Amino acid sequence: MGLPRRPKAVVFDVVETLISLAPLRSRFATVGLAAELAERWFDRLLRDGIALSLAGDYQPFPVVAAAALRTLARGELDEDAVGHVMAGFGALPAHPDAEPAMRTLADSGISLACLSNGTAKATMDFLNRSSLGRYVDQVISVAEVGSWKPAAPVYAHAADAIGHSPEELALVAVHAFDCHGAKRAGWTTGWAGRTDGHYAEIFAPADVVGTDLVDVATRLLALGG
């Protein structure tokens, strides 16, 4: 594999990379769960979605998220409580670094897309309410493949849908496992340390590492052609 190139299109992960989950903590507290369980819940739903993919099965993000919440609560939440937490997804904001990072790339002639384990509708709703939709040319959901990231077919499908070869694409994410999957698929990768603060050594190193999305965007633009 050659040196990473300045991408022609940048593809953003969505949940946690663009979307802040912090407001869900208050919804956890409202239904009687410890607020700090919100992060554990998201880790669990990612694990369960990926586990289904490894077994050759698929369930959409909302179904996996609700199941993970019921399990985390040891089956003690009624459906109204589950619905209250899940409804919070419809009001989650963008991280402050999302808009300036997208603007930086778009102003430099880079086309932008989103690739999410979530549904296309939820992603579009988020982009529209956060005013990020003006920068994004395309939204791709893993539902189109029937497998969660970081499965290889997800990135192959995204490349086909966008119409660029893998080496012309870059994935930007705060999750090292996502960067690993994209890297193995031949993409350039950019990882922002905003969430984890440390890139796990077990994964293929990202081509670009930054403190936040703006830093990553700037570093991607600085790559050679």
Side-chain angles (χ1 to χ4, degrees), residues 175-190:
H175 303 125
F177 75 83
D178 202 354
C179 290
H180 179 89
K183 182 77 171 178
R184 289 292 181 246
W187 296 30
T188 296
T189 55

Side-chain angles (χ1 to χ4, degrees), residues 67 105 107 112 123 139 141 163 174 190-191 193 198 220:
L105 292 166
D107 287 350
L112 305 181
T123 301
V139 169
S141 169
V174 298
W191 177 78
H198 174 75
L220 285 174

